[in-house]
Amino acid sequence: MDVTVNGQNRPLSGIRAHENALDWLRANRLTGSKEGCAEGECGACAVMVANPDGNGGSTWTSVNSCLIPAAALDGQEVVTSEGLASADGLHPVQAGLAEAGGSQCGYCTPGFACSMAAEYYRADRAPCEHPADAEHGENGFDLHALSGNLCRCTGYRPIRDAAYNLGAPTTDDTLAARRDSAAPEPAATDYSADDGRFVRPAGLADALALLAQEPRAVVVAGSTDWGVDVNIKGRRVPLMVAIDRLPELRTLTMDDDAVTIGASVTLSEIERFLAGRVPLLGQVLPQFASRLIRNRATIGGNVGTGSPIGDTPPALLALDASVVLASARGEREVALAEYFTGYRQTVRADDELIRAIRIPFPLATTTAFHKIAKRRFDDISSVAIAFAVDIDGGIITRARVGLGGVAATPIRGLDTEALLVGKPWTAETARDAAASLAREGTPMSDHRASSEYRSIMLSQAVLKFFAETTEREEVGA
């Protein structure tokens, strides 16, 4: 096993099966990347990885190295903060941070530099004389590229200034030129150490055959959830099976009947592919953690964990999505509303993988996603509510309401859906639906919110949804 780091081939020998990429990099004296939180929230560990751009070239993608198994880098290409500069001087991002005073203690700076460099090299970044909002610069820089990076001493204004003053890569920039070549192909990997075994099968058939033999193996995709368990909870298992690069799970298609999203497609890739064509997901994804997390997190992983507070399940429930499950025995398709059976429990058998998520057409005409959390971005929801309704002539003809954070599983607000259908979409109907939704689920009190607060937020979400939809109609008229 080996990996290319800053243009140099390095062997991945002597690592532990559960060792993360950050620890391996630091053991190899690449100490720019730091461990701050060990769970993907601070960005001090950020590095860039060469990923396929979908057109035969590469895109530099920023990721949290503390969450990625070192063995998952086999055959891949990585750039750390040490690899940005050249013998001739600092990289434009590094020079910009220094000139703007964007570094004080310096602990977070290498992570900022790597996240900023990934955005600097984004192929479709283009100057915009009149940015849509304060989170985009005239140089086309999207400040959300830094949403997963935290600074505790300098403050964000000089970092933002550095980002917004960046120009375009020059013609002799080797990292820019690298984008014209294909990204490394995934390497089939089978590595054993004293603490366990890491396997990346060559294809889906191999993965399913392995799971048939070892049904208790832990399946790892983006590792944004599993990596936290390893780092913070000390989880260790005999076998990890990596499915993040399996070609059969990396497809994303749209036809007249449905959009089908491969389980290992990352959330950032879904954002780019859909480009607003599924408006409800278009509202969900920008609120899902940070760009660093979305660059690795997969839709199959978010559904597969069975968490009651995942962001995508409420929206997918409202969209009537289904889950395509595959095993060596064959495939089956299960409605997402029937997929979750208990707290982090699902109908998926141990030898099955989620192959894809399918969203049927036509989509509901009126949708909204409300995430209630303590922070605007990069936070776990206390409550998540997704609405998908059809309104014809002022009458609700169809309604789906997906809920997260109010039961042991993501659920549908079935009583509220039944109340809405056939009713005029009026303030009175909205008030009745608000009272109904407040009674849905079995919300509990925890460190994020009380059960009473969660019920109130459910009620308020309906009233907000009504206000949003009627305001749109008034503006349109």
Side-chain angles (χ1 to χ4, degrees):
M1 298 196 303
D2 55 32
V3 57
T4 300
V5 183
N6 300 332
Q8 177 183 349
N9 186 269
R10 292 175 178 261
L12 278 167
S13 57
I15 61 172
R16 303 182 304 279
H18 291 82
E19 184 172 348
N20 63 49
L22 173 63
D23 288 345
W24 178 78
L25 289 168
R26 292 182 62 79
N28 280 267
R29 300 184 179 182
L30 294 167
T31 55
S33 301
K34 308 291 196 300
E35 179 179 287
C37 65
E39 54 185 347
E41 288 200 32
C42 74
C45 66
V47 299
M48 297 196 307
V49 177
N51 283 336
D53 67 357
N55 298 307
S58 301
T59 181
W60 288 114
T61 305
S62 55
V63 298
N64 290 299
S65 63
C66 76
L67 298 178
I68 302 173
L73 296 180
D74 183 22
Q76 302 306 295
E77 188 172 343
V78 176
V79 171
T80 70
S81 58
E82 292 91 345
L84 293 175
S86 68
D88 298 327
L90 294 176
H91 187 277
V93 164
Q94 295 169 321
L97 284 167
E99 291 166 5
S103 176
Q104 189 166 318
C105 80
Y107 195 91
C108 68
T109 307
F112 267 103
C114 286
S115 291
M116 197 178 292
E119 176 65 7
Y120 174 72
Y121 288 118
R122 178 164 59 88
D124 58 352
R125 181 175 68 89
C128 177
E129 187 175 348
H130 301 291
D133 52 52
E135 292 159 354
H136 293 80
E138 291 184 3
N139 61 352
F141 193 100
D142 182 356
L143 206 59
H144 288 279
L146 307 181
S147 64
N149 295 83
L150 299 182
C151 171
R152 295 300 188 191
C153 50
T154 300
Y156 297 102
R157 185 194 53 77
I159 297 172
R160 182 199 62 192
D161 292 347
Y164 286 177
N165 285 327
L166 289 171
T170 58
T171 56
D172 60 348
D173 188 321
T174 56
L175 292 176
R178 172 67 185 82
R179 298 175 301 180
D180 296 330
S181 301
E185 292 291 330
T189 304
D190 191 338
Y191 179 78
S192 296
D194 291 343
D195 66 328
R197 180 184 174 201
F198 178 94
V199 177
R200 171 177 282 129
L204 179 59
D206 291 340
L208 297 178
L210 181 58
L211 288 179
Q213 299 168 5
E214 303 282 353
R216 298 196 179 277
V218 168
V219 175
V220 180
S223 198
T224 55
D225 193 69
W226 172 246
V228 176
D229 283 351
V230 170
N231 293 344
I232 304 298
K233 300 179 182 179
R235 287 280 308 278
R236 300 292 185 270
V237 292
L239 175 62
M240 292 171 283
V241 179
I243 61 168
D244 57 317
R245 301 296 296 273
L246 296 184
E248 299 92 337
L249 306 187
R250 299 271 306 139
T251 58
L252 216 169
T253 61
M254 184 180 291
D255 55 31
D256 293 339
D257 298 322
V259 56
T260 304
I261 306 171
S264 291
V265 178
T266 70
L267 301 183
S268 288
E269 291 169 332
I270 295 169
E271 280 184 276
R272 289 194 294 270
F273 176 84
L274 293 181
R277 288 180 288 181
V278 180
L280 186 54
L281 285 184
Q283 294 179 55
V284 174
L285 296 178
Q287 300 181 65
F288 190 110
S290 67
R291 177 61 65 193
L292 282 166
I293 293 294
R294 295 199 297 275
N295 285 343
R296 285 284 301 177
T298 64
I299 193 166
N302 197 233
V303 171
T305 62
S307 171
I309 53 173
D311 282 346
T312 65
L316 293 172
L317 283 168
L319 291 168
D320 273 337
S322 59
V323 181
V324 181
L325 298 170
S327 71
R329 295 173 281 113
E331 284 192 1
R332 59 183 177 131
E333 189 167 344
V334 179
L336 188 63
E338 300 171 3
Y339 180 74
F340 304 105
T341 59
Y343 179 72
R344 290 190 179 270
Q345 296 178 335
T346 70
V347 300
R348 183 180 67 83
D350 288 340
D351 66 339
E352 287 182 311
L353 288 176
I354 297 177
R355 185 181 67 76
I357 304 295
R358 185 166 290 141
I359 300 169
F361 290 151
L363 300 173
T365 55
T366 306
T367 59
F369 179 74
H370 298 161
K371 177 175 178 174
I372 292 88
K374 293 182 178 180
R375 297 194 300 262
R376 183 182 174 201
F377 294 111
D378 199 8
D379 201 5
I380 295 171
S381 63
S382 299
V383 182
I385 309 105
F387 298 100
V389 303
D390 288 322
I391 304 171
D392 186 4
I395 304 298
I396 301 170
T397 58
R398 182 175 176 273
R400 295 289 185 271
V401 183
L403 305 175
V406 296
T409 70
I411 62 171
R412 287 251 306 272
L414 296 175
D415 291 343
T416 304
E417 293 174 2
L419 182 150
L420 286 169
V421 174
K423 298 288 181 60
W425 189 222
T426 62
E428 181 182 359
T429 300
R431 286 193 294 269
D432 291 343
S436 172
L437 197 62
R439 297 189 294 268
E440 300 270 16
T442 54
M444 60 178 287
S445 296
D446 59 21
H447 65 283
R448 292 192 183 91
S450 67
S451 60
E452 294 81 6
Y453 177 82
R454 287 186 161 100
S455 293
I456 291 170
M457 290 301 99
L458 291 176
S459 175
Q460 290 298 311
V462 180
L463 301 179
K464 180 180 179 181
F465 180 51
F466 176 74
E468 290 172 342
T469 55
T470 53
E471 282 171 8
R472 287 178 207 149
E473 291 174 5
E474 290 171 2
V475 170

